[in-house]
Amino acid sequence: MRVTNLLKMENEPLIIRRAVDGDERALRALWTRHAPHIDMVVRRLVGGDVDAAADIAQEVWIQIFRALPSYRGDSQFSTWAHRIAVNRTLNALRRTRRLASVETEVHEDSAAVEPDHDRSFVAESIEAAAAKLSPGARAVFMLHDVEGYTHEEIADALGITTGGSKSQLFKARAKLRSLLAHLVDVKHVGLSRKDTEHVAPAY
Amino acid sequence: MSHLPTERLAALVDEAPTAAELAHLTSCPECARERAAYQAVADLAGTEANRIGTPLTTWEALAPSLVADGVIDDGRGLRLRTRSAKRPWLQAAAAVLLLSGGVVAGRWSVRTTTPATTSTVAEKPDSLPTFSTVQDARDAQARAQSMYQTATAYLAQQDTSGRAIESPSAMRARLAALDRARDAMGEALNEAPYDPVINNYYLSTIGQREATMRRLNTVLPASMKMTSY
């Protein structure tokens, strides 16, 4: 029997109920089960600074457990906790000025992209490559392409415009495309079926 | 038409090309390759969402903050609850069962450890404490529970004496037994969901089970991670 299935079989609503009552073992059971995913969300948004990520992850878990009495079970606990992790991490980054003035980073990034430098760095993964992005661009990329947020949600979370969010995303993808060239370069391509069915109007 | 700009190629991951762009992509292998590369970046990002990693946090670092916050009930009345306060006899029974269960589990997990290494807090049977108030008993219960959990965590990390005996097959057998105990307690909880004794047993079982799984992973070869047992 696979371990992941066994974990899913545990009675999570019961564990949550005991955790709300302050039972340390129940709280620990929730942390043990969800920390590998939640902490990863924090790590992705923060980037390469592991110490900062660890501090923020600690804040995230305290916030999750403080808010636990407000969890109504309308969504999966993992989804609920994930949302707290994203919001808390963005707040922490904003507090430490890492996300300050994301809009101005749009312009700064244009000059900051250094193709020659990018070529000398070979990233082994999206996480490693994204650590090379500016905090604002990384946050937008992670929220949109990894976490599945819309530009409207990102704009709301980061206090920027949807246009700013799109611009950051495209710049982030461009830099990542360069950093991950060894993983994403393809030799032969054709048009996708989607293209032949849907063509945008000229603009 | 000249090559598509970099940012436009990046945008085409989730936007449809115009007719002119489509015509260019059809005739320009270089732009078509670039567009495919951007799509590959987005695909990589999509797989990233499901990736998990080693936690950045540790329970040992988190727990003191949660106690200070009153999130963890440390038995000192920070989060007194009406339901449990109304049933002191159940709490007393839970304390007895938890302590006796802890002794059994402790001897099970450290059966080869010599008494000399574990007796720093041992007391003679005739020196067992007596309690004059319910609060005294609760405090003692909390201390014993905390000490047991800390000792178990320490032994799981440091005690190598029992590992020769605790073979992977023995631990798999333990896991199977813990699964049965968990299932039985889970059924009992359907009938008595608020019973603290059953709740304690259920959570203890889950805790032991997770500790055993972690330990089983440490005794397997580094290249082999447990996905089944």
Side-chain angles (χ1 to χ4, degrees):
Chain A
M1 187 179 293
R2 289 181 65 80
V3 171
T4 50
N5 290 338
L6 280 171
L7 287 173
K8 285 175 185 169
M9 282 166 55
E10 310 284 13
N11 191 342
E12 189 154 271
L14 171 72
I15 294 175
I16 290 170
R17 199 163 60 220
R18 296 294 300 169
V20 169
D21 277 351
D23 188 314
E24 181 172 355
R25 286 166 301 171
L27 290 158
R28 186 170 187 161
L30 287 175
W31 173 82
T32 300
R33 185 174 305 174
H34 296 284
H37 176 71
I38 294 293
D39 288 13
M40 198 68 194
V41 172
V42 177
R43 190 200 303 259
R44 279 197 293 261
L45 285 171
V46 173
D49 189 340
V50 177
D51 290 339
D55 289 344
I56 294 172
Q58 174 101 352
E59 283 182 36
V60 162
W61 276 107
I62 291 171
Q63 181 62 28
I64 287 172
F65 288 140
R66 275 182 187 159
L68 201 53
S70 69
Y71 172 66
R72 300 290 172 221
D74 299 331
S75 59
Q76 294 278 331
F77 174 80
S78 57
T79 307
W80 178 82
H82 183 279
R83 181 68 65 159
I84 290 177
V86 169
N87 290 339
R88 191 73 183 184
T89 303
L90 293 179
N91 284 342
L93 291 174
R94 200 175 291 122
R95 196 174 62 234
T96 57
R97 299 174 187 273
R98 288 165 193 260
L99 279 182
S101 189
V102 172
E103 283 284 24
T104 59
E105 285 179 8
V106 172
H107 306 293
E108 289 168 1
D109 277 359
S110 302
V113 175
E114 298 167 7
D116 290 341
H117 176 265
D118 288 350
R119 272 188 218 110
S120 66
F121 175 82
V122 178
E124 294 303 320
S125 66
I126 279 279
E127 184 190 358
K132 293 286 183 182
L133 299 174
S134 70
R138 180 170 56 249
V140 172
F141 172 77
M142 288 298 181
L143 290 173
H144 188 277
D145 279 7
V146 178
E147 308 295 347
Y149 281 47
T150 65
H151 285 296
E152 287 73 22
E153 290 172 319
I154 294 169
D156 190 42
L158 298 182
I160 59 176
T161 64
T162 54
S165 174
K166 286 183 182 178
S167 180
Q168 288 278 46
L169 175 66
F170 300 154
K171 288 180 186 304
R173 281 179 181 162
K175 188 158 187 174
L176 292 175
R177 183 259 173 277
S178 172
L179 293 170
L180 296 166
H182 60 297
L183 295 177
V184 301
D185 273 342
V186 290
K187 296 202 185 309
H188 303 290
V189 292
L191 287 179
S192 70
R193 188 174 174 184
K194 185 175 67 178
D195 286 338
T196 59
E197 292 171 351
H198 305 288
V199 177
Y203 61 92
Chain B
M1 185 178 184
S2 57
H3 290 310
L4 296 177
T6 298
E7 289 189 24
R8 184 60 192 153
L9 287 163
L12 288 178
V13 169
D14 30 40
E15 294 179 10
T18 65
E21 288 171 339
L22 186 58
H24 177 75
L25 288 166
T26 308
S27 61
C28 178
E30 192 175 336
C31 281
R33 275 198 301 272
E34 278 303 294
R35 187 191 180 194
Y38 279 101
Q39 183 60 54
V41 170
D43 292 344
L44 272 178
T47 62
E48 178 75 11
N50 294 322
R51 198 161 69 86
I52 59 172
T54 307
L56 295 162
T57 45
T58 66
W59 186 254
E60 288 67 29
L62 201 52
S65 299
L66 296 174
V67 170
D69 250 26
V71 173
I72 290 178
D73 186 349
D74 65 348
R76 297 178 192 278
L78 285 170
R79 288 170 64 109
L80 287 178
R81 280 157 200 87
T82 312
R83 191 170 64 233
S84 55
K86 283 179 180 173
R87 296 171 179 163
W89 64 272
L90 275 177
Q91 285 225 324
V96 171
L97 281 169
L98 190 64
L99 285 172
S100 57
V103 169
V104 170
R107 290 195 60 79
W108 185 12
S109 61
V110 297
R111 56 182 172 250
T112 59
T113 306
T114 60
T117 60
T118 58
S119 61
T120 54
V121 295
E123 297 181 28
K124 294 176 182 176
D126 58 1
S127 69
L128 285 173
T130 57
F131 306 107
S132 54
T133 67
V134 170
Q135 190 57 48
D136 284 348
R138 282 185 183 152
D139 289 346
Q141 178 191 8
R143 282 195 302 273
Q145 187 173 340
S146 175
M147 186 178 294
Y148 170 69
Q149 288 173 338
T150 305
T152 302
Y154 178 84
L155 289 169
Q157 292 288 323
Q158 306 293 334
D159 178 27
T160 57
S161 59
R163 294 195 175 174
I165 297 171
E166 296 209 325
S167 63
S169 62
M171 278 190 271
R172 287 192 187 97
R174 181 192 300 174
L175 277 174
L178 288 170
D179 279 350
R180 289 195 295 275
R182 179 201 56 194
D183 292 345
M185 287 297 112
E187 285 181 23
L189 280 170
N190 288 332
E191 296 177 13
Y194 297 107
D195 188 305
V197 177
I198 298 174
N199 272 288
N200 272 328
Y201 262 124
Y202 181 77
L203 291 169
S204 291
T205 305
I206 291 174
Q208 288 292 339
R209 190 176 169 284
E210 284 171 353
T212 304
M213 283 201 295
R214 278 199 294 272
R215 192 154 181 183
L216 186 54
N217 259 335
T218 66
V219 299
L220 289 172
S223 59
M224 186 187 301
K225 286 294 175 190
M226 183 181 65
T227 57
S228 63
Y229 67 89

